Amino acid sequence: MTPKVLCIVGTRPEAIKMAPVIKALQAEKNIDCRVLATAQHRGLLDQILQGFAITADLDLDTMRPNQSLAALTSRLLLGLDGVLQSEQPDVVLAQGDTTTVMSAALACFYLQIPFGHVEAGLRTGDLRNPFPEEANRVIAGKLTRWHFAPTQRAVDNLLREGVAASDIALTGNTVIDALLMTAAQDSALAIPLDPGKRLVLVTSHRRENFGEPLQNICQALKRLAERNPGIQILYPVHPNPNVKDIAHRLLGRTRNIILCAPLDYAPFIAAMKRSYLIISDSGGVQEEAPALGKPVLVLREATERPEAVDLGVVKLVGANRDNIVEQAQRLLDDPQAYQAMARGVSPYGDGKAAARIVDVLRQYFQACP
Ligand code: UD1
Ligand code: UDP
């Protein structure tokens, strides 16, 4: 019988980072690849799956407006349990640190289905930061059969936690596969921008920034826009009501700030390529921007992606209003400081991560009796 691999995706970044793996598995004639959407995100997930021409074979339709973590987790666990029992996959793969991934690892553990964790081994060492992602990946990591680690740092984190070296594969991050596949298309950004202005691209959605930190971030963006008429800020706003409401209330009426709906992946990459500077709390953006030679100011206190920080192309600025303004202003005013951060480096991968992951599974299935 052809072995069955079930790829589980729940949110936007999981769809982006699993797309290259799903494509590579679909190209294998000796593997039956099935895709399960938990739809922890609804619109954002559908947008990305459509962009990569991936159709989910199964859909749990989990998302509810302003969902709590406990309610989301319980819906996911019950839904996943049912699907895993009916599908009986030989292997399950999921990517990252969302509640979908933690629940998938746990549901597989209960049914003793081997679980492969894509983007394994990222750690800040602080369970509350980022919240709840650090806890999600630590829990998933305890229940994982194959740890597909994107960097040597991630491998070292896993070894330090006692994971056997034979259970870890250093693959690179599949986001670079997705980025290279997409950047090559050279998509247009359908938002009219002023060609005479430098573009500052912004994203923000982290739970630990909800409330006052996000207000500080928005105030910093407003101040930057008012002080610098020669820039244009483009902010595709995450649909989470905790983000959307504050962003529109505080930034909706500033002339050189454009708030827009989340962009499809290809236009978002076009926006990154067109940008001068990126300000973001996103994990994926921290990995993509260095490969495109774009400096990122990260709106977080800690990052599980220290490689680009060590290379000097990504800087943590937290959610302090004055600090954000000061650091961004420096990059706008000081060409040397800017150039030092605008070097194209790619510490997160070479675009072949998905092929390495599929190699590991192919070898496993060949060795199976
Ligand atoms: C989730 C992940 C986070 C990841 C982020 C990527 C968890 C706990 N959080 O955060 O790790 O970095 O996705 O974007 O796993 N919503 C919509 N439409 C959508 C998506 C979300 O309306 O397509 C709204 C809904 O009201 C939903 C809320 O956003 O309840 C929160 O979604 P949720 O997935 O729980 O958290 P995110 O903040 O998106
Ligand atoms: N992204 C996108 N459209 C947007 C904003 C982001 O396609 O409008 C992509 C971005 O390139 C990156 C991913 O979404 O690959 C990051 O998702 P998000 O910030 O939601 O999650 P995180 O990476 O922080 O978990």
Side-chain angles (χ1 to χ4, degrees):
M1 273 247 294
T2 311
K4 189 193 279 189
V5 177
L6 183 67
C7 293
I8 299 181
V9 290
T11 67
R12 168 169 67 191
E14 294 161 64
I16 292 168
K17 291 174 170 180
M18 282 301 286
V21 180
I22 292 168
K23 298 276 178 199
L25 284 169
Q26 286 173 339
E28 288 288 304
K29 61 178 187 310
N30 293 327
I31 292 178
D32 175 15
C33 171
R34 305 262 291 163
V35 178
L36 165 62
T38 66
Q40 172 180 336
H41 282 174
R42 184 71 276 171
L44 290 182
L45 180 72
D46 294 344
Q47 184 179 30
I48 299 297
L49 290 177
Q50 203 178 2
F52 281 98
I54 293 170
T55 308
D57 301 292
L58 303 144
D59 194 316
L60 295 178
D61 201 20
T62 310
M63 195 192 88
R64 299 291 177 274
N66 210 3
Q67 54 206 0
S68 78
L69 292 175
L72 171 65
T73 305
S74 50
R75 280 196 301 279
L76 284 166
L77 262 182
L78 280 175
L80 286 164
D81 186 45
V83 168
L84 292 175
Q85 295 206 47
S86 58
E87 281 286 302
Q88 305 219 336
D90 297 288
V91 166
V92 167
L93 296 182
Q95 178 283 332
D97 52 22
T98 65
T99 300
T100 285
V101 177
M102 185 268 290
S103 306
L106 188 56
C108 285
F109 174 70
Y110 288 152
L111 294 170
Q112 291 293 287
I113 299 169
F115 177 79
H117 189 199
V118 178
E119 199 183 81
L122 274 62
R123 298 287 185 271
T124 60
D126 176 356
L127 269 190
R128 292 185 191 193
N129 214 340
F131 176 87
E133 290 82 3
E134 178 81 355
N136 282 344
R137 58 190 168 228
V138 167
I139 295 166
K142 291 283 175 219
L143 308 172
T144 291
R145 163 68 182 80
W146 298 278
H147 304 258
F148 298 114
T151 64
Q152 187 58 48
R153 288 281 266 274
V155 171
D156 294 342
N157 290 338
L158 291 165
L159 292 173
R160 249 196 317 276
E161 289 176 12
V163 177
S166 55
D167 293 347
I168 306 171
L170 175 57
T171 59
N173 197 310
T174 56
V175 79
I176 304 298
D177 303 29
L179 175 69
L180 297 181
M181 280 158 70
T182 308
Q185 295 164 14
D186 232 351
S187 242
L189 173 62
I191 293 179
L193 295 172
D194 184 336
K197 294 191 175 181
R198 288 186 291 181
L199 180 67
V200 177
L201 180 64
V202 173
T203 76
S204 180
H205 70 81
R206 302 233 78 85
R207 267 172 208 258
E208 66 271 18
N209 282 342
F210 289 175
E212 201 182 321
L214 184 58
Q215 288 179 25
N216 292 338
I217 290 167
C218 290
Q219 283 160 3
L221 295 172
K222 192 163 191 277
R223 191 173 289 182
L224 271 174
E226 287 169 352
R227 270 197 198 166
N228 298 278
I231 68 168
Q232 205 164 29
I233 295 180
L234 175 63
Y235 179 179
V237 182
H238 193 288
N240 192 322
N242 299 286
V243 176
K244 207 163 81 174
D245 296 351
I246 292 184
H248 282 275
R249 183 159 51 80
L250 297 184
L251 302 175
R253 266 174 268 152
T254 306
R255 272 185 57 211
N256 49 341
I257 298 184
I258 303 172
L259 302 180
C260 65
L263 297 171
D264 289 353
Y265 189 53
F268 187 76
I269 298 303
M272 288 180 98
K273 282 164 91 176
R274 163 77 170 71
S275 69
Y276 177 81
L277 165 66
I278 299 172
I279 302 179
S280 175
D281 62 12
S282 159
V285 171
Q286 286 176 64
E287 294 157 340
E288 294 158 341
L292 297 171
K294 304 296 175 179
V296 191
L297 297 179
V298 177
L299 303 164
R300 294 170 55 171
E301 304 298 336
T303 182
E304 57 288 300
R305 296 169 170 88
E307 293 85 352
V309 177
D310 290 350
L311 288 168
V313 297
V314 164
K315 195 178 235 180
L316 293 181
V317 293
N320 177 290
R321 187 184 55 188
D322 294 342
N323 194 37
I324 297 167
V325 173
E326 188 186 322
Q327 300 288 343
Q329 196 64 53
R330 185 155 168 262
L331 293 176
L332 290 169
D333 294 344
D334 179 347
Q336 264 183 337
Y338 181 80
Q339 281 312 324
M341 284 190 75
R343 293 174 290 113
V345 292
S346 190
Y348 299 109
D350 60 2
K352 297 180 183 142
R356 294 189 185 100
I357 291 167
V358 174
D359 272 351
V360 169
L361 295 182
R362 205 187 293 115
Q363 281 168 33
Y364 168 72
F365 291 131
Q366 278 164 3
C368 279

